[in-house]
Amino acid sequence: MECRQGPANKNCPCSATGCARHGICCQCVAHHRAKGQLPACFFPKDVELTHDRSIERLAATFEERGAWWKARK
């Protein structure tokens, strides 16, 4: 799959500052996949802020909150 280079996604939920891949989804997914992780957009905001992007954390969140969670305040 070719990564299309266009304007960065302004709706990117990632809280990492200074990331060169911020808002460039195909690069972000490839980066996290290579590290055995998932990108920020897979997680509710409160979990994303922990920067634990592991598959295990996603599974635990899914188990705890169900398929369609709402971010806790």
Side-chain angles (χ1 to χ4, degrees):
M1 177 174 101
E2 183 177 332
C3 183
R4 297 182 185 200
Q5 298 298 329
N9 180 353
K10 292 182 175 137
N11 296 319
C12 179
C14 181
S15 63
T17 56
C19 178
R21 295 167 295 279
H22 193 274
I24 306 172
C25 300
C26 55
Q27 288 182 10
C28 178
V29 169
H31 169 77
H32 286 289
R33 183 176 179 186
K35 295 172 70 175
Q37 301 174 342
L38 297 166
C41 55
F42 279 62
F43 297 92
K45 188 65 176 175
D46 61 321
V47 176
E48 188 278 328
L49 288 170
T50 69
H51 295 278
D52 179 355
R53 308 251 171 82
S54 66
I55 294 167
E56 293 81 9
R57 183 62 183 121
L58 180 67
T61 302
F62 184 89
E63 186 174 316
E64 176 186 309
R65 301 182 189 188
W68 304 107
W69 52 71
K70 293 183 180 180
R72 295 184 180 175
K73 296 179 182 184

